[in-house]
Amino acid sequence: CGNAPPLKKMASRINQLWKHPNVQWVCSTHFWGPVANWGIPIAAIGDAYYRGPEIISGRMTTALCIYSALFMRFSIVVKPRNWLLFSCHATNEAAQMFQGFRLIRYNMSEKK
């Protein structure tokens, strides 16, 4: 076929692009894990903005604070360091702490 050299050239270019470190990173769990995990802090921020403190679970908020603290540490220890995962869990830690303070303030006002 007369089109073989251009097809080989295109296949070679696609192969080069596929092996690029940025493409490899986007196609890995180091990227998609944190991207999927962003749902947790987004939900917490949404709840803080749109919902009242009476729906907050103290146990779940505590568990999510511990979970995010552990994974912030993990994201720095793992090689290569995963700053996307760190930022996700740092945001979640802040959101959960805010939710915890909202719950404490709500419980204190209920006792008065």
Side-chain angles (χ1 to χ4, degrees), residues 62-76:
T62 302
L64 285 170
C65 281
I66 294 168
Y67 161 76
S68 282
L70 290 173
F71 271 89
M72 279 192 315
R73 168 91 167 98
F74 169 78
S75 68
I76 293 173

Side-chain angles (χ1 to χ4, degrees), residues 79-107:
K79 301 292 181 205
R81 289 186 175 134
N82 194 332
W83 295 109
L84 185 59
L85 183 64
F86 180 83
S87 66
C88 172
H89 284 291
T91 303
N92 188 43
E93 186 72 26
Q96 296 302 329
M97 294 289 274
F98 180 71
Q99 290 288 66
F101 289 128
R102 286 181 65 213
L103 179 63
I104 291 168
R105 189 172 56 204
Y106 174 74
N107 288 338

Side-chain angles (χ1 to χ4, degrees), residues 12-27:
S12 175
R13 180 69 182 129
I14 290 171
N15 195 25
Q16 283 177 337
L17 182 64
W18 182 254
K19 289 182 179 180
H20 192 277
N22 291 343
V23 173
Q24 291 294 313
W25 182 69
V26 168
C27 294

